[in-house]
């Protein structure tokens, strides 16, 4: 599955490597002139196909160079080293940031028909997951045309769903990963069976969160370093990909001064030298564009409305997208640059690690959602249902923020914060701390409620409205109008049947044991004093993921504008749209970003190892 046959007629790296190996075996004593000419022809053909380096083998610095030491880079490096290749792993950041953005993640993984799902009584299948993926992705850009933007993304999507419903869990479990038994239900969708969203819970939180996802691959790479197979090149910023005779032959760039910046914090960009390194294969795994707001706005799609003037940032400053343009200059094709994934429930971090640091609320289904003027959103703009539809609804108001109006009872049961550092119980694998969520609000959430700039807490609705208007300074919320909408919703709680779609969603969630245990508060009136105090949360747009990127075939080879592989050039992870230049299409089912790095890093690393076989 991971070493798929190459497209006919492309002069593949793996096929050329096989020709080279065959030529070498024919060089025994007594070789005939015919054999020699045949061997020479094979070498020439391999060179023209780009599998052979354009310089003498002794001048190579490694068999492969991996640019970017995030999760995809670690996985690709581990695969290359396991195959016996010598690898240089480069990154502009210091060693403290090894593992990249994945370290900061909640550790959610998309799995299909898993042991955890069956334990929770969830009936899932490959066919249901593929139905959900297609309904969510909406591939529509030349799916059947090899030159189409969605052609390879859809192929990667099909391979990924096969992986997620097949060997993904056993592979990761074999590396020591475990998952919290309560499976989360993210992106519940827009209301139709064949439309956007997860039909069933599939969000598996890794026990140990993001650091536990990174750990096994970091261990593999460090062990390979001890064996002499891997060499780290921290503080090496790649400024160009070197090509010789149309084939990639290495990278060049600047050596940055040493930095003791802690993980995630900005590091110096002072240059103290230059470098050029050579290898027959370069694998780009440098991530997306989320920290560069200007670049986000430049690629913002018209279908999502006007780009926000103000956003918070969900990734460290080094997630700058530089390697996209650099790889494009080396011949790579960028597709679907207007597809992106930004969250609508961002909080300003009261204790930021990187500039503009934002934290996302992972909400349960019960908070009421209002726009900046106090108008309640309709379906599917319900907490946890359809991220990008809600983003479009928010930008359509002309404001960059929206509001949750909720209760302490809902906050205590339903609010979770994305990020390893915001979940010490899961990250530190502390069972007692985890169980304490049953009888108390998690401490990180309480700290945000007390210290965060986006929270308003009040005992009465007039006090709440006054605080909301004071926080924004624009006096857009009218007490009578907000009261009318909340009371209308509260009347729907009195009966087991309702026409309010959100109330239907709450009852649907309560029918799933996982949500009733840990993610959904019992249905109650927002204005019930016993559920108070009342809480309003200003929600900011939070930048996060790049869904488009470098177009790659199923071996991770970067394709050019003609649809042919750029000899020696590979890509994996977010820079490649998590596979093919856009495995998600327009939208994500969640839990698929880390998984996309794992899958594309593994597949690409194995293909690059095969291409450099001798």
């Amino acid at each position: 599955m991971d070493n798929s046959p190459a497209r006919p007629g492309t002069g593949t790296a793996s096929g050329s490597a096989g020709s080279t190996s065959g030529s070498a075996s024919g060089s025994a004593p007594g070789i005939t002139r015919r054999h020699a000419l045949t061997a020479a022809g094979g070498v020439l053909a391999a060179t023209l196909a780009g599998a052979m380096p354009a310089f003498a083998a002794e001048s190579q610095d490694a068999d492969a160079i991996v640019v970017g030491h995030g999760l995809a880079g670690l996985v690709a490096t581990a695969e290359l080293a396991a195959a016996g290749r010598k690898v240089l792993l480069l990154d502009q950041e210091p060693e403290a940031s090894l593992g990249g953005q994945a370290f900061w993640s909640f550790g959610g993984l998309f799995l299909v028909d898993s042991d955890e799902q069956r334990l929770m009584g969830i009936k899932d299948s490959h066919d249901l997951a593929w139905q959900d993926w297609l309904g969510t992705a909406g591939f529509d850009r030349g799916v059947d045309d090899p030159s189409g933007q969605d052609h390879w993304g859809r192929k990667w999507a099909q391979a990924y769903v096969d992986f997620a419903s097949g060997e993904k869990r056993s592979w990761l479990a074999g590396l020591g990963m475990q998952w919290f038994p309560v499976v989360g239900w993210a992106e519940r969708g827009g209301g139709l069976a064949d439309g956007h969203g997860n039909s069933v819970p599939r969000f598996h939180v890794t026990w140990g969160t993001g650091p536990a996802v990174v750990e096994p691959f970091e261990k593999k790479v460090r062990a390979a370093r001890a064996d002499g197979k891997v060499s780290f090149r921290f503080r090496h910023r790649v400024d160009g990909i070197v090509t010789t005779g149309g084939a990639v032959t290495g990278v060049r760039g600047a050596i940055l001064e040493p930095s003791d910046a802690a993980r995630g914090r900005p590091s110096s960009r002072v240059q103290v030298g230059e470098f050029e390194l050579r290898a027959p294969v370069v694998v780009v795994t440098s991530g997306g564009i989320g920290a560069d707001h200007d670049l986000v706005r430049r690629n913002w799609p018209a279908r999502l409305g006007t780009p926000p003037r103000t956003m918070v940032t969900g990734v460290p400053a080094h997630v700058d997208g530089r390697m996209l343009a650099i790889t494009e200059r080396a011949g790579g094709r960028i597709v679907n640059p207007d597809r992106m994934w930004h969250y609508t429930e961002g909080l300003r971090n009261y204790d930021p690690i990187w500039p503009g640091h934002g934290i996302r609320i992972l909400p349960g289904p019960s908070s009421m959602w209002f726009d900046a003027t106090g108008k309640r959103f309709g379906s599917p703009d319900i907490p946890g249902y359809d991220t990008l539809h809600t983003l479009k609804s928010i930008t359509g108001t002309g404001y960059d923020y929206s509001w949750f109006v909720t209760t302490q009872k809902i906050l205590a049961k339903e609010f979770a914060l994305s990020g390893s550092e915001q979940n010490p119980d899961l990250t530190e694998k502390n069972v007692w701390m985890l169980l304490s969520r049953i009888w108390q609000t998690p401490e990180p959430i309480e700290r945000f409620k007390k210290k965060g700039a986006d929270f308003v807490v009040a005992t009465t609705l007039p006090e709440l409205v006054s605080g909301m208007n004071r926080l924004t300074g624009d006096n857009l919320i009218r007490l009578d109008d907000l009261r009318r909408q909340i009371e209308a919703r509260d009347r729907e709680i009195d009966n087991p049947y309702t026409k309010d779609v959100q109330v239907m969603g709450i009852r649907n969630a309560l029918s799933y044991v996982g949500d009733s245990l840990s993610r959904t508060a019992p249905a109650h009136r927002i204005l019930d004093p016993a559920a108070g105090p009342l809480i309003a949360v200003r929600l900011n747009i939070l930048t996060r993921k790049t869904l488009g990127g470098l177009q790659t075939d199923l071996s991770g080879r970067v394709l050019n504008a003609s649809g042919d592989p750029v000899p020696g050039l590979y890509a994996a992870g977010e820079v490649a749209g998590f596979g093919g230049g856009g495995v998600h299409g327009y939208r994500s089912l969640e839990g698929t970003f880390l998984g996309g790095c794992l899958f594309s890093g593994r597949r690409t690393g194995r293909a690059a190892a095969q291409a450099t076989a001798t």
Side-chain angles (χ1 to χ4, degrees), residues 47-101:
T47 302
L48 292 175
M52 293 286 290
F55 44 85
E58 58 268 21
S59 71
Q60 297 180 25
D61 295 294
D63 297 314
I65 294 170
V66 177
V67 182
H69 66 200
L71 181 60
L74 288 174
V75 175
T77 299
E79 293 292 342
L80 282 157
R85 307 296 176 265
K86 291 189 175 182
V87 188
L88 295 177
L89 180 55
L90 280 61
D91 202 283
Q92 64 184 352
E93 293 307 299
E95 186 171 3
S97 288
L98 191 67
Q101 174 60 18

Side-chain angles (χ1 to χ4, degrees), residues 156-297:
W156 272 93
Q158 191 163 18
Y160 181 71
V161 173
D162 291 345
F163 177 62
S165 58
E167 63 177 313
K168 180 180 180 181
R169 188 190 182 283
S170 61
W171 174 55
L172 296 175
L175 295 173
M177 284 193 206
Q178 296 177 302
W179 296 274
F180 184 56
V182 178
V183 183
W185 197 352
E187 284 296 297
R188 304 184 189 208
L192 295 176
D194 61 353
H196 168 60
N198 285 294
S199 298
V200 297
R202 296 191 178 106
F203 191 79
H204 296 65
V205 177
T206 304
W207 186 233
T209 67
V213 177
V214 172
E215 181 182 16
F217 302 101
E218 180 180 346
K219 283 183 176 179
K220 282 177 173 287
V221 171
R222 290 193 182 277
R225 180 192 193 186
D227 290 341
K229 291 290 191 293
V230 172
S231 178
F232 291 122
R233 293 289 189 272
F234 302 113
R235 306 298 285 154
H236 279 56
R237 186 188 69 202
V238 173
D239 296 327
I241 294 174
V242 179
T243 59
T244 307
V248 167
T249 54
V251 297
R252 59 173 177 78
I255 301 173
L256 306 178
E257 69 177 354
S259 172
D260 59 0
R263 181 185 292 275
R265 295 196 180 277
S267 61
S268 165
R269 290 295 178 261
V270 174
Q271 300 180 27
V272 295
E274 296 179 346
F275 71 90
E276 182 166 333
L277 297 168
R278 293 187 150 200
V281 160
V282 172
V283 184
V284 180
T285 59
S286 54
I289 67 173
D292 187 335
H293 290 193
D294 290 337
L295 196 54
V296 168
R297 293 187 188 94

Side-chain angles (χ1 to χ4, degrees), residues 16 39 77 111 134 198 200 213 229 256 259 284 296 336 360 394 432 441 474 491 497 535 569 577 609:
S16 299
T77 299
L111 297 172
L134 288 178
N198 285 294
V200 297
V213 177
K229 291 290 191 293
L256 306 178
S259 172
V284 180
V296 168
N336 303 311
R360 184 202 174 198
I394 292 170
W432 176 252
T441 306
D474 49 24
R491 292 187 189 99
Y497 16 82
I535 301 165
L569 187 58

Side-chain angles (χ1 to χ4, degrees), residues 423-579:
N423 294 275
D425 48 358
L426 290 164
T427 301
E428 298 170 13
K429 303 181 182 180
N430 187 319
V431 176
W432 176 252
M433 193 186 302
L434 180 66
L435 290 174
S436 72
R437 293 188 184 215
I438 297 172
W439 63 82
Q440 66 180 14
T441 306
E443 182 58 31
I445 293 169
E446 276 297 313
R447 283 200 299 267
F448 261 94
K449 189 183 82 172
K450 295 174 182 176
K451 299 181 180 181
D454 297 305
F455 283 77
V456 178
V457 181
T459 55
T460 67
L461 191 60
E463 292 173 356
L464 190 76
V465 169
S466 177
M468 293 165 72
N469 285 329
R470 186 167 56 251
L471 178 62
T472 61
D474 49 24
N475 294 314
L476 294 174
I477 308 297
R478 296 176 53 195
L479 173 60
D480 290 347
D481 194 35
L482 195 68
R483 185 190 299 278
R484 176 187 59 77
Q485 295 174 87
I486 295 174
E487 289 179 344
R489 177 266 187 202
D490 280 359
R491 292 187 189 99
E492 300 288 312
I493 296 295
D494 291 340
N495 295 293
Y497 16 82
T498 179
K499 69 177 182 180
D500 189 291
V501 173
Q502 184 174 7
V503 175
M504 292 180 194
I506 294 168
R507 290 176 177 152
N508 188 36
L510 289 170
S511 70
Y512 165 48
V513 63
D515 275 351
S516 63
L517 282 173
S518 65
R519 293 289 288 139
T520 305
H524 63 274
R525 291 172 175 254
I526 297 292
L527 296 180
D528 180 358
L534 291 167
I535 301 165
V537 188
R538 179 178 58 184
L539 305 173
N540 308 278
I541 307 301
L542 175 76
T543 65
R544 186 60 66 87
K545 296 297 180 185
T546 309
L547 299 188
L550 298 167
Q551 191 170 42
T552 59
D553 67 9
L554 284 174
S555 294
R557 298 179 301 178
V558 176
L559 307 180
N560 63 22
S562 300
D564 298 317
V566 178
L569 187 58
Y570 293 74
E574 189 174 353
V575 74
F578 302 94

